mmCIF file of all heavy atoms in Angstrom:
data_model
loop_
_atom_site.group_PDB
_atom_site.id
_atom_site.type_symbol
_atom_site.label_atom_id
_atom_site.label_comp_id
_atom_site.label_asym_id
_atom_site.label_seq_id
_atom_site.Cartn_x
_atom_site.Cartn_y
_atom_site.Cartn_z
ATOM 1 N N HIS A 1 -7.967 -8.977 -2.224
ATOM 2 C CA HIS A 1 -8.310 -7.754 -2.958
ATOM 3 C C HIS A 1 -7.203 -7.389 -3.950
ATOM 4 O O HIS A 1 -6.057 -7.800 -3.807
ATOM 5 C CB HIS A 1 -8.561 -6.596 -1.981
ATOM 6 C CG HIS A 1 -7.375 -6.213 -1.167
ATOM 7 N ND1 HIS A 1 -6.908 -6.964 -0.111
ATOM 8 C CD2 HIS A 1 -6.544 -5.145 -1.261
ATOM 9 C CE1 HIS A 1 -5.858 -6.371 0.423
ATOM 10 N NE2 HIS A 1 -5.594 -5.276 -0.252
ATOM 11 N N HIS A 2 -7.557 -6.634 -4.931
ATOM 12 C CA HIS A 2 -6.667 -6.228 -6.038
ATOM 13 C C HIS A 2 -6.265 -7.410 -6.915
ATOM 14 O O HIS A 2 -5.293 -7.296 -7.681
ATOM 15 C CB HIS A 2 -5.399 -5.525 -5.528
ATOM 16 C CG HIS A 2 -5.648 -4.251 -4.791
ATOM 17 N ND1 HIS A 2 -6.819 -3.541 -4.886
ATOM 18 C CD2 HIS A 2 -4.849 -3.537 -3.937
ATOM 19 C CE1 HIS A 2 -6.746 -2.452 -4.120
ATOM 20 N NE2 HIS A 2 -5.575 -2.430 -3.531
ATOM 21 N N THR A 3 -6.952 -8.540 -6.785
ATOM 22 C CA THR A 3 -6.666 -9.675 -7.663
ATOM 23 C C THR A 3 -7.867 -9.905 -8.583
ATOM 24 O O THR A 3 -8.907 -9.249 -8.452
ATOM 25 C CB THR A 3 -6.391 -10.963 -6.873
ATOM 26 O OG1 THR A 3 -7.628 -11.460 -6.320
ATOM 27 C CG2 THR A 3 -5.380 -10.726 -5.763
ATOM 28 N N LEU A 4 -7.728 -10.855 -9.495
ATOM 29 C CA LEU A 4 -8.814 -11.186 -10.409
ATOM 30 C C LEU A 4 -9.823 -12.152 -9.786
ATOM 31 O O LEU A 4 -10.782 -12.571 -10.440
ATOM 32 C CB LEU A 4 -8.240 -11.792 -11.691
ATOM 33 C CG LEU A 4 -7.298 -10.864 -12.484
ATOM 34 C CD1 LEU A 4 -6.668 -11.618 -13.643
ATOM 35 C CD2 LEU A 4 -8.032 -9.631 -12.978
ATOM 36 N N GLY A 5 -9.562 -12.551 -8.547
ATOM 37 C CA GLY A 5 -10.484 -13.434 -7.842
ATOM 38 C C GLY A 5 -10.370 -14.896 -8.242
ATOM 39 O O GLY A 5 -11.255 -15.699 -7.938
ATOM 40 N N ASN A 6 -9.273 -15.260 -8.891
ATOM 41 C CA ASN A 6 -9.109 -16.648 -9.347
ATOM 42 C C ASN A 6 -7.833 -17.300 -8.832
ATOM 43 O O ASN A 6 -7.448 -18.373 -9.293
ATOM 44 C CB ASN A 6 -9.140 -16.707 -10.876
ATOM 45 C CG ASN A 6 -8.050 -15.835 -11.511
ATOM 46 O OD1 ASN A 6 -7.210 -15.267 -10.811
ATOM 47 N ND2 ASN A 6 -8.081 -15.718 -12.821
ATOM 48 N N GLY A 7 -7.175 -16.638 -7.878
ATOM 49 C CA GLY A 7 -5.950 -17.205 -7.324
ATOM 50 C C GLY A 7 -4.731 -17.044 -8.213
ATOM 51 O O GLY A 7 -3.657 -17.559 -7.881
ATOM 52 N N ASN A 8 -4.873 -16.351 -9.329
ATOM 53 C CA ASN A 8 -3.749 -16.138 -10.259
ATOM 54 C C ASN A 8 -3.007 -14.869 -9.856
ATOM 55 O O ASN A 8 -3.548 -13.766 -9.964
ATOM 56 C CB ASN A 8 -4.280 -16.030 -11.692
ATOM 57 C CG ASN A 8 -3.160 -15.869 -12.708
ATOM 58 O OD1 ASN A 8 -2.002 -15.689 -12.360
ATOM 59 N ND2 ASN A 8 -3.510 -15.929 -13.985
ATOM 60 N N TYR A 9 -1.761 -15.032 -9.426
ATOM 61 C CA TYR A 9 -0.980 -13.888 -8.947
ATOM 62 C C TYR A 9 0.123 -13.448 -9.906
ATOM 63 O O TYR A 9 0.869 -12.527 -9.590
ATOM 64 C CB TYR A 9 -0.358 -14.208 -7.579
ATOM 65 C CG TYR A 9 -1.345 -14.094 -6.438
ATOM 66 C CD1 TYR A 9 -2.119 -15.178 -6.063
ATOM 67 C CD2 TYR A 9 -1.518 -12.900 -5.762
ATOM 68 C CE1 TYR A 9 -3.041 -15.080 -5.022
ATOM 69 C CE2 TYR A 9 -2.430 -12.781 -4.724
ATOM 70 C CZ TYR A 9 -3.193 -13.882 -4.353
ATOM 71 O OH TYR A 9 -4.097 -13.762 -3.335
ATOM 72 N N ASP A 10 0.244 -14.092 -11.048
ATOM 73 C CA ASP A 10 1.322 -13.692 -11.950
ATOM 74 C C ASP A 10 0.815 -13.056 -13.247
ATOM 75 O O ASP A 10 1.598 -12.749 -14.138
ATOM 76 C CB ASP A 10 2.250 -14.862 -12.271
ATOM 77 C CG ASP A 10 1.559 -15.989 -13.040
ATOM 78 O OD1 ASP A 10 0.345 -15.889 -13.279
ATOM 79 O OD2 ASP A 10 2.254 -16.959 -13.383
ATOM 80 N N ALA A 11 -0.508 -12.835 -13.352
ATOM 81 C CA ALA A 11 -1.070 -12.276 -14.592
ATOM 82 C C ALA A 11 -0.506 -10.879 -14.868
ATOM 83 O O ALA A 11 -0.089 -10.579 -15.997
ATOM 84 C CB ALA A 11 -2.592 -12.216 -14.494
ATOM 85 N N PHE A 12 -0.471 -10.024 -13.846
ATOM 86 C CA PHE A 12 -0.006 -8.651 -14.060
ATOM 87 C C PHE A 12 1.509 -8.615 -14.278
ATOM 88 O O PHE A 12 2.016 -7.812 -15.060
ATOM 89 C CB PHE A 12 -0.404 -7.773 -12.873
ATOM 90 C CG PHE A 12 -1.837 -7.944 -12.454
ATOM 91 C CD1 PHE A 12 -2.173 -8.123 -11.122
ATOM 92 C CD2 PHE A 12 -2.861 -7.946 -13.399
ATOM 93 C CE1 PHE A 12 -3.494 -8.297 -10.734
ATOM 94 C CE2 PHE A 12 -4.182 -8.118 -13.027
ATOM 95 C CZ PHE A 12 -4.509 -8.293 -11.692
ATOM 96 N N TYR A 13 2.192 -9.489 -13.577
ATOM 97 C CA TYR A 13 3.646 -9.613 -13.746
ATOM 98 C C TYR A 13 3.968 -9.958 -15.192
ATOM 99 O O TYR A 13 4.893 -9.401 -15.802
ATOM 100 C CB TYR A 13 4.158 -10.681 -12.779
ATOM 101 C CG TYR A 13 5.636 -11.000 -12.852
ATOM 102 C CD1 TYR A 13 6.593 -10.007 -12.721
ATOM 103 C CD2 TYR A 13 6.072 -12.321 -13.008
ATOM 104 C CE1 TYR A 13 7.951 -10.314 -12.758
ATOM 105 C CE2 TYR A 13 7.418 -12.630 -13.047
ATOM 106 C CZ TYR A 13 8.352 -11.626 -12.926
ATOM 107 O OH TYR A 13 9.694 -11.939 -12.959
ATOM 108 N N LYS A 14 3.192 -10.864 -15.781
ATOM 109 C CA LYS A 14 3.416 -11.257 -17.176
ATOM 110 C C LYS A 14 3.072 -10.122 -18.140
ATOM 111 O O LYS A 14 3.723 -9.941 -19.166
ATOM 112 C CB LYS A 14 2.607 -12.513 -17.509
ATOM 113 C CG LYS A 14 3.130 -13.779 -16.842
ATOM 114 C CD LYS A 14 2.276 -14.983 -17.198
ATOM 115 C CE LYS A 14 2.831 -16.257 -16.575
ATOM 116 N NZ LYS A 14 1.969 -17.438 -16.890
ATOM 117 N N MET A 15 2.031 -9.363 -17.804
ATOM 118 C CA MET A 15 1.662 -8.229 -18.661
ATOM 119 C C MET A 15 2.819 -7.234 -18.783
ATOM 120 O O MET A 15 3.094 -6.724 -19.870
ATOM 121 C CB MET A 15 0.445 -7.508 -18.086
ATOM 122 C CG MET A 15 -0.853 -8.269 -18.171
ATOM 123 S SD MET A 15 -2.203 -7.283 -17.449
ATOM 124 C CE MET A 15 -3.522 -8.488 -17.414
ATOM 125 N N SER A 16 3.472 -6.964 -17.692
ATOM 126 C CA SER A 16 4.535 -5.956 -17.682
ATOM 127 C C SER A 16 5.775 -6.395 -18.443
ATOM 128 O O SER A 16 6.579 -5.556 -18.850
ATOM 129 C CB SER A 16 4.923 -5.616 -16.240
ATOM 130 O OG SER A 16 3.894 -4.907 -15.595
ATOM 131 N N GLN A 17 5.945 -7.678 -18.622
ATOM 132 C CA GLN A 17 7.195 -8.172 -19.207
ATOM 133 C C GLN A 17 7.421 -7.708 -20.639
ATOM 134 O O GLN A 17 8.551 -7.681 -21.111
ATOM 135 C CB GLN A 17 7.236 -9.699 -19.109
ATOM 136 C CG GLN A 17 7.385 -10.187 -17.682
ATOM 137 C CD GLN A 17 7.278 -11.692 -17.533
ATOM 138 O OE1 GLN A 17 7.411 -12.424 -18.513
ATOM 139 N NE2 GLN A 17 7.024 -12.158 -16.316
ATOM 140 N N HIS A 18 6.370 -7.298 -21.328
ATOM 141 C CA HIS A 18 6.508 -6.836 -22.709
ATOM 142 C C HIS A 18 7.011 -5.399 -22.794
ATOM 143 O O HIS A 18 7.457 -4.969 -23.868
ATOM 144 C CB HIS A 18 5.160 -6.948 -23.427
ATOM 145 C CG HIS A 18 4.638 -8.348 -23.507
ATOM 146 N ND1 HIS A 18 5.088 -9.270 -24.426
ATOM 147 C CD2 HIS A 18 3.702 -8.993 -22.760
ATOM 148 C CE1 HIS A 18 4.458 -10.409 -24.257
ATOM 149 N NE2 HIS A 18 3.612 -10.276 -23.253
ATOM 150 N N ILE A 19 6.940 -4.652 -21.700
ATOM 151 C CA ILE A 19 7.316 -3.237 -21.751
ATOM 152 C C ILE A 19 8.395 -2.885 -20.731
ATOM 153 O O ILE A 19 8.536 -1.737 -20.326
ATOM 154 C CB ILE A 19 6.082 -2.336 -21.548
ATOM 155 C CG1 ILE A 19 5.326 -2.703 -20.277
ATOM 156 C CG2 ILE A 19 5.162 -2.416 -22.767
ATOM 157 C CD1 ILE A 19 4.210 -1.736 -19.941
ATOM 158 N N VAL A 20 9.135 -3.897 -20.298
ATOM 159 C CA VAL A 20 10.339 -3.686 -19.498
ATOM 160 C C VAL A 20 11.453 -4.521 -20.114
ATOM 161 O O VAL A 20 11.197 -5.470 -20.843
ATOM 162 C CB VAL A 20 10.133 -4.071 -18.011
ATOM 163 C CG1 VAL A 20 9.084 -3.174 -17.361
ATOM 164 C CG2 VAL A 20 9.754 -5.538 -17.862
ATOM 165 N N CYS A 21 12.688 -4.135 -19.843
ATOM 166 C CA CYS A 21 13.803 -4.894 -20.417
ATOM 167 C C CYS A 21 14.304 -5.984 -19.478
ATOM 168 O O CYS A 21 15.102 -6.842 -19.882
ATOM 169 C CB CYS A 21 14.941 -3.955 -20.804
ATOM 170 S SG CYS A 21 15.759 -3.118 -19.431
ATOM 171 N N ALA A 22 13.840 -5.981 -18.219
ATOM 172 C CA ALA A 22 14.198 -7.034 -17.266
ATOM 173 C C ALA A 22 13.180 -7.011 -16.134
ATOM 174 O O ALA A 22 12.569 -5.981 -15.847
ATOM 175 C CB ALA A 22 15.610 -6.836 -16.725
ATOM 176 N N HIS A 23 13.003 -8.163 -15.483
ATOM 177 C CA HIS A 23 11.991 -8.270 -14.437
ATOM 178 C C HIS A 23 12.384 -9.371 -13.464
ATOM 179 O O HIS A 23 13.114 -10.313 -13.824
ATOM 180 C CB HIS A 23 10.626 -8.572 -15.051
ATOM 181 C CG HIS A 23 10.655 -9.703 -16.038
ATOM 182 N ND1 HIS A 23 10.581 -11.031 -15.673
ATOM 183 C CD2 HIS A 23 10.796 -9.699 -17.386
ATOM 184 C CE1 HIS A 23 10.653 -11.798 -16.749
ATOM 185 N NE2 HIS A 23 10.792 -11.015 -17.811
ATOM 186 N N ALA A 24 11.912 -9.269 -12.245
ATOM 187 C CA ALA A 24 12.201 -10.302 -11.247
ATOM 188 C C ALA A 24 11.245 -10.162 -10.074
ATOM 189 O O ALA A 24 10.790 -9.054 -9.753
ATOM 190 C CB ALA A 24 13.640 -10.198 -10.754
ATOM 191 N N ILE A 25 10.922 -11.298 -9.447
ATOM 192 C CA ILE A 25 10.267 -11.302 -8.142
ATOM 193 C C ILE A 25 11.387 -11.383 -7.110
ATOM 194 O O ILE A 25 12.179 -12.329 -7.105
ATOM 195 C CB ILE A 25 9.312 -12.497 -7.980
ATOM 196 C CG1 ILE A 25 8.287 -12.523 -9.117
ATOM 197 C CG2 ILE A 25 8.618 -12.443 -6.624
ATOM 198 C CD1 ILE A 25 7.374 -11.329 -9.162
ATOM 199 N N ILE A 26 11.462 -10.403 -6.252
ATOM 200 C CA ILE A 26 12.594 -10.280 -5.333
ATOM 201 C C ILE A 26 12.321 -11.042 -4.033
ATOM 202 O O ILE A 26 11.258 -10.909 -3.419
ATOM 203 C CB ILE A 26 12.877 -8.802 -5.024
ATOM 204 C CG1 ILE A 26 13.071 -8.002 -6.321
ATOM 205 C CG2 ILE A 26 14.120 -8.672 -4.146
ATOM 206 C CD1 ILE A 26 14.223 -8.459 -7.182
ATOM 207 N N THR A 27 13.312 -11.811 -3.611
ATOM 208 C CA THR A 27 13.271 -12.543 -2.343
ATOM 209 C C THR A 27 14.504 -12.161 -1.528
ATOM 210 O O THR A 27 15.457 -11.581 -2.079
ATOM 211 C CB THR A 27 13.269 -14.058 -2.585
ATOM 212 O OG1 THR A 27 14.558 -14.438 -3.105
ATOM 213 C CG2 THR A 27 12.177 -14.462 -3.573
ATOM 214 N N PRO A 28 14.525 -12.500 -0.231
ATOM 215 C CA PRO A 28 15.736 -12.228 0.552
ATOM 216 C C PRO A 28 16.963 -12.934 -0.017
ATOM 217 O O PRO A 28 18.084 -12.427 0.072
ATOM 218 C CB PRO A 28 15.378 -12.758 1.947
ATOM 219 C CG PRO A 28 13.886 -12.658 2.019
ATOM 220 C CD PRO A 28 13.414 -12.979 0.634
ATOM 221 N N GLU A 29 16.749 -14.101 -0.617
ATOM 222 C CA GLU A 29 17.873 -14.879 -1.143
ATOM 223 C C GLU A 29 18.435 -14.298 -2.440
ATOM 224 O O GLU A 29 19.654 -14.329 -2.669
ATOM 225 C CB GLU A 29 17.445 -16.324 -1.407
ATOM 226 C CG GLU A 29 17.128 -17.133 -0.148
ATOM 227 C CD GLU A 29 15.736 -16.864 0.407
ATOM 228 O OE1 GLU A 29 14.927 -16.172 -0.285
ATOM 229 O OE2 GLU A 29 15.433 -17.322 1.531
ATOM 230 N N ASN A 30 17.577 -13.786 -3.308
ATOM 231 C CA ASN A 30 18.083 -13.325 -4.615
ATOM 232 C C ASN A 30 18.214 -11.810 -4.712
ATOM 233 O O ASN A 30 18.583 -11.276 -5.759
ATOM 234 C CB ASN A 30 17.180 -13.829 -5.748
ATOM 235 C CG ASN A 30 15.807 -13.144 -5.782
ATOM 236 O OD1 ASN A 30 15.571 -12.127 -5.157
ATOM 237 N ND2 ASN A 30 14.884 -13.727 -6.543
ATOM 238 N N CYS A 31 17.906 -11.105 -3.640
ATOM 239 C CA CYS A 31 17.810 -9.647 -3.686
ATOM 240 C C CYS A 31 19.071 -8.984 -4.235
ATOM 241 O O CYS A 31 18.996 -8.133 -5.133
ATOM 242 C CB CYS A 31 17.502 -9.104 -2.290
ATOM 243 S SG CYS A 31 17.404 -7.305 -2.223
#
């Protein structure tokens, strides 16, 4: 749910990149 139904999980992440000055997917290793 809350997805486009095509298994694509980075579409919204990419959309936001134009209106933020930095972005990251946070993991325990890179937090």
Side-chain angles (χ1 to χ4, degrees):
H1 63 286
H2 298 341
T3 73
L4 299 174
N6 58 5
N8 182 352
Y9 282 88
D10 64 357
F12 313 132
Y13 177 55
K14 289 179 178 178
M15 290 180 189
S16 290
Q17 291 174 18
H18 299 281
I19 53 173
V20 296
C21 66
H23 49 84
I25 305 297
I26 306 299
T27 69
E29 292 80 9
N30 71 14
C31 178

